Amino acid sequence: MGHLIELQDIQKYYSIGKEKLHVLKAVNISIDQGDFLTIVGKSGSGKTTLMNSLSFLDHFDEGAYLFKGEDVTGLTENEKSQFRNEYMGFIFQQYHLIDSLTIRQNVELPLLYNKVYDKLSQKERFERVDHYLELVGIQDKKDRKPAELSGGQQQRAAIARALINDPYVIFADEPTGALDSHTGAQIMEILSRFNQEGKTIILVTHDADLTRYASKVIEIIDGVVHVKKGGVHA
Amino acid sequence: MTFSNLLKTALYSIRARKLRVFLTMFGIIIGISSVVVILSVGDGLSQEVKGIATETSSNKYTVSFESDNPQMNQEILNVFTQNDIQEIEQLNEIEKANATTSIGGLFNFFSVSYFDKSTGISVKSYKNETLDIIYGRDFCDNEETANRIVLDEEAATDLFTEPALAVGRAILINNQNYEVIGVCSSKGNATASLLGLTYSYLSEQNIENMSQIDEIYSVDYYLMANADSEAVFEKVEDILKNNHPEVQGSYQLEDPQAITKSFQQIIGGLTAFVACVSGISLFVGGVGVMNIMYVSVSERKREIGIRRAIGATSKTILLQFMIEAIIITGMGGLLGIFNGFVLSKIVGAFLPFPTVITPINFIGASVISILVGLIFGIVPAINASKMDPIKAIYQ
């Protein structure tokens, strides 16, 4: 008990034609509330696959997933969607904001897919959005479209979107990969700040430099987890 | 996601590609408006025919004779006589009876001649309406018994070459002389000219007299109010059978509205056919909607992936795309109905009868346009909802 996330003996295969590729090999990790876990590894090592399995975006073939001690291995697609909405936030390398919506509407989106928050009036939702935009420092850009913002500003908006439902854990896939080092450092500072306020962060990167923000570091080599920093095994 | 938020989401993404949506909508607009116009013309024509038919009394029934041997000449048999008519008229339930002069209560046909020239006219009884007189004069009061006729322009041209010359001449109808007091315009009655028929006018008295001279093929009788039509027919039948025991065949009651009904059926059938043909453009429009929805789904793969990642279920994605398709066709439908309404008014101004848009057509067009969205939007929407979020994000 006590772990936020616990993976037990996860196996995952990809079938390419007749060949079966073993991408995650007996993965056993546990993540605690407030951890800053960085997953490093070469491209193709399986680090993104591991993160997607952790975040229910992808499925795994064998093993068990415990979230706050509860077995959530067999959730249906709909339950996974709700789970992601309530407990998880996502930050991507390419920001992945929706171009046709304003920054405010983008950040509002997770609220609309939430069973509780979608009952709020738009005014209440926008108040909440504005609060998070202020936290990431782009409140003045709320009525702009994503294309009118710099990469760093878009990533800040994406962070606000990841936080808006007050999730337990934030998944960040190469959040600084498309940014210059200065802007990247700013983004990392923001993530680090939310981590200190208690948010669990799981970050995937191939940039070994970013491990300095992490409380735990694991490296994936050919689908096998190697612990670099902190204890992650249950 | 609540429905109003779904609606808003769909509207936002439609607004983001206004031009393309409008171009797609164009097919729907054309399809719906052409269907609306066709239906309004058809309904207008149908109502016009009905209007003419109700000019004839609804208490009128016609008895005709059907011989067992179709080759036999009815004229020789003499199945109806003036005597029969007088006897029928004496029945308590019957207001009056006379030989049939019109077909199904719609038209009275006579042949007219002036020396060696002859032509056919269809005749209407004059009922104090203002005729569109182009030569000569209209009927005066107290002229009912005199043999006078207002000839229609076409017949006057046939008989006299120059219609103006007809005024004051005597023409022969059923071996009786009638004085032509005027010539009326052939364009007077919209439906008549549409059907290739124009009317000449005689007094009611004259028309009745005329019918007493000719051979009688069938008898019209007018029921008193509240009389039972079937019981009366049995009595009429008895009279006729008594008077003509030698004939082989049966007397039959005709539906007075039969011709009108079959006319309306034909018009209705034609309208439906033409509406179906113009419905093809609606089908093409629907395929256009399907196409843009497919394009939209594949263009917005990433958006779908993002939405799925942050909590959209496949059902909400399905609904979002369905609603988008329905909004496109629904708006197209409304614009099409409006467009069709305006067009049908314009068309109606050039037609000899007013076009009619019934509420059923209005509702039907709206429902159809929404259905088109449903039918052609559902496959792309299912595609979108089945998309794997991982593949959608990392395309």
Side-chain angles (χ1 to χ4, degrees):
Chain A
M1 241 338 261
H3 296 306
L4 179 64
I5 291 175
E6 206 175 324
L7 292 188
Q8 295 173 345
D9 211 19
I10 298 291
Q11 311 277 357
K12 182 168 173 62
Y13 308 94
Y14 278 137
S15 311
I16 300 170
K18 280 179 185 168
E19 265 181 79
K20 218 173 180 189
L21 217 62
H22 200 173
V23 282
L24 292 179
K25 295 169 185 164
V27 173
N28 280 291
I29 51 175
S30 57
I31 300 157
D32 292 317
Q33 182 73 49
D35 274 357
F36 195 131
L37 173 72
T38 300
I39 306 172
V40 292
K42 294 197 180 99
S43 70
S45 60
K47 60 184 190 301
T48 298
T49 306
L50 175 60
M51 195 194 79
N52 288 337
S53 295
L54 278 167
S55 63
F56 285 127
L57 281 174
D58 209 348
H59 67 279
F60 44 85
D61 295 294
E62 288 164 35
Y65 187 142
L66 304 183
F67 193 88
K68 296 182 82 181
E70 224 170 291
D71 189 351
V72 291
T73 315
L75 291 185
T76 65
E77 268 308 311
N78 276 350
E79 287 168 333
K80 283 180 186 173
S81 295
Q82 278 172 31
F83 206 90
R84 282 197 295 267
N85 180 266
E86 285 174 43
Y87 302 131
M88 297 166 174
F90 290 88
I91 300 166
F92 301 96
Q93 182 177 358
Q94 296 298 333
Y95 333 124
H96 284 351
L97 300 171
I98 294 170
D99 300 329
S100 58
L101 301 179
T102 63
I103 293 302
R104 221 184 195 182
Q105 289 166 339
N106 264 293
V107 177
E108 181 199 14
L109 268 186
L111 295 175
L112 298 181
Y113 290 112
N114 189 285
K115 272 184 179 168
V116 179
Y117 295 128
D118 76 336
K119 305 282 188 299
L120 296 178
S121 70
Q122 191 176 49
K123 191 170 161 275
E124 290 170 306
R125 285 198 304 267
F126 277 169
E127 273 169 16
R128 196 177 164 94
V129 170
D130 291 349
H131 169 70
Y132 280 93
L133 286 177
E134 211 178 322
L135 285 181
V136 296
I138 51 163
Q139 217 217 347
D140 54 328
K141 302 283 188 287
K142 64 187 180 199
D143 292 321
R144 300 285 187 83
K145 292 281 171 71
E148 299 166 37
L149 269 59
S150 72
Q153 289 166 336
Q154 289 189 55
Q155 198 59 296
R156 284 163 191 257
I159 293 172
R161 185 180 62 185
L163 288 166
I164 191 100
N165 275 355
D166 197 17
Y168 284 106
V169 49
I170 290 171
F171 293 96
D173 186 3
E174 305 267 16
T176 60
L179 301 172
D180 63 74
S181 56
H182 178 67
T183 319
Q186 285 178 341
I187 294 297
M188 288 309 294
E189 290 299 335
I190 293 172
L191 286 178
S192 180
R193 197 176 80 218
F194 286 117
N195 175 244
Q196 276 152 27
E197 286 168 13
K199 288 269 175 280
T200 307
I201 292 178
I202 299 176
L203 180 131
V204 165
T205 183
H206 62 268
D207 184 356
D209 208 33
L210 296 183
T211 56
R212 64 192 161 99
Y213 298 96
S215 59
K216 293 176 179 177
V217 179
I218 57 176
E219 183 174 8
I220 310 254
I221 301 170
D222 293 333
V224 180
V225 172
H226 301 264
V227 181
K228 293 279 172 183
K229 182 178 172 185
V232 298
H233 288 305
Chain B
M1 198 181 245
T2 58
F3 185 75
S4 68
N5 285 334
L6 263 174
L7 209 64
K8 244 186 258 170
T9 305
L11 281 174
Y12 285 142
S13 49
I14 284 174
R15 213 171 49 186
R17 51 207 166 97
K18 276 176 250 151
L19 180 66
R20 238 194 295 170
V21 165
F22 179 74
L23 291 176
T24 310
M25 230 186 256
F26 211 70
I28 303 292
I29 295 173
I30 289 178
I32 290 285
S33 53
S34 57
V35 170
V36 166
V37 171
I38 299 290
L39 289 181
S40 71
V41 170
D43 284 345
L45 184 55
S46 176
Q47 287 206 0
E48 183 78 4
V49 169
K50 202 172 160 192
I52 291 175
T54 46
E55 275 179 22
T56 57
S57 352
S58 58
N59 63 340
K60 178 180 161 185
Y61 291 84
T62 303
V63 190
S64 65
F65 178 78
E66 193 162 323
S67 172
D68 288 345
N69 182 356
Q71 265 88 47
M72 207 174 286
N73 193 337
Q74 261 192 46
E75 281 175 50
I76 302 166
L77 282 175
N78 222 358
V79 292
F80 295 104
T81 60
Q82 285 299 335
N83 187 36
D84 297 338
I85 294 172
Q86 275 157 26
E87 249 181 86
I88 290 169
E89 211 160 17
Q90 271 153 26
L91 287 170
N92 285 335
E93 298 91 338
I94 284 175
E95 204 179 290
K96 66 169 183 171
N98 57 254
T100 305
T101 53
S102 65
I103 299 171
L106 268 182
F107 312 111
N108 291 298
F109 290 109
F110 291 104
S111 100
V112 293
S113 57
Y114 179 74
F115 293 102
D116 61 328
K117 288 182 179 167
S118 69
T119 186
I121 55 171
S122 57
V123 170
K124 241 187 171 181
S125 60
Y126 174 73
K127 287 178 197 133
N128 293 325
E129 63 256 66
T130 322
L131 302 178
D132 187 7
I133 299 288
I134 46 177
Y135 303 107
R137 64 173 175 87
D138 208 338
F139 286 98
C140 303
D141 292 339
N142 307 320
E143 233 178 1
E144 284 84 29
T145 50
N147 283 2
R148 284 176 184 155
I149 183 168
V150 171
L151 210 54
D152 78 82
E153 194 184 350
E154 261 180 48
T157 313
D158 287 345
L159 295 178
F160 301 96
T161 319
E162 198 56 56
L165 298 175
V167 182
R169 306 289 172 99
I171 58 171
L172 213 56
I173 305 175
N174 275 350
N175 294 318
Q176 293 216 346
N177 278 312
Y178 285 80
E179 184 197 347
V180 179
I181 55 167
V183 175
C184 64
S185 162
S186 293
K187 293 180 189 80
N189 186 298
T191 312
S193 60
L194 189 89
L195 296 170
L197 293 166
T198 48
Y199 292 115
S200 298
Y201 290 85
L202 286 168
S203 71
E204 208 166 338
Q205 187 68 46
N206 276 331
I207 291 181
E208 265 179 46
N209 290 344
M210 231 181 252
S211 55
Q212 288 170 4
I213 297 156
D214 224 343
E215 296 96 355
I216 304 166
Y217 294 103
S218 62
V219 172
D220 294 342
Y221 60 85
Y222 297 82
L223 283 187
M224 300 291 227
N226 303 326
D228 175 14
S229 65
E230 285 191 27
V232 174
F233 174 67
E234 274 172 33
K235 288 183 188 174
V236 169
E237 205 181 9
D238 284 345
I239 294 171
L240 291 167
K241 277 184 177 165
N242 266 331
N243 290 356
H244 307 276
E246 73 289 352
V247 297
Q248 291 182 322
S250 56
Y251 291 95
Q252 286 173 340
L253 187 64
E254 277 174 17
D255 184 350
Q257 304 288 333
I259 291 261
T260 318
K261 276 181 188 155
S262 59
F263 252 117
Q264 279 182 308
Q265 243 170 26
I266 293 168
I267 293 167
L270 273 176
T271 308
F273 173 71
V274 182
C276 281
V277 171
S278 57
I280 290 173
S281 62
L282 201 59
F283 181 80
V284 174
V287 173
V289 171
M290 193 164 178
N291 191 32
I292 201 196
M293 290 315 292
Y294 261 123
V295 171
S296 167
V297 167
S298 66
E299 266 183 355
R300 287 153 67 196
K301 255 187 197 166
R302 218 189 58 185
E303 177 190 326
I304 295 166
I306 297 165
R307 287 181 185 274
R308 289 300 309 276
I310 62 178
T313 59
S314 49
K315 198 182 107 195
T316 47
I317 297 290
L318 178 88
L319 283 176
Q320 182 192 333
F321 280 88
M322 282 307 306
I323 290 171
E324 273 183 40
I326 289 171
I327 289 175
I328 293 173
T329 58
M331 287 204 311
L334 280 181
L335 286 173
I337 289 167
F338 176 75
N339 205 19
F341 181 78
V342 173
L343 267 178
S344 79
K345 289 288 165 215
I346 294 170
V347 168
F350 290 101
L351 283 178
F353 55 88
T355 53
V356 177
I357 292 187
T358 60
I360 290 176
N361 289 350
F362 185 86
I363 294 163
S366 320
V367 170
I368 285 173
S369 59
I370 287 169
L371 275 181
V372 167
L374 260 173
I375 291 165
F376 291 96
I378 195 145
V379 180
I382 287 175
N383 266 13
S385 72
K386 282 196 176 150
M387 218 170 259
D388 183 354
I390 282 286
K391 284 180 188 139
I393 295 174
Y394 298 100
Q395 53 176 318

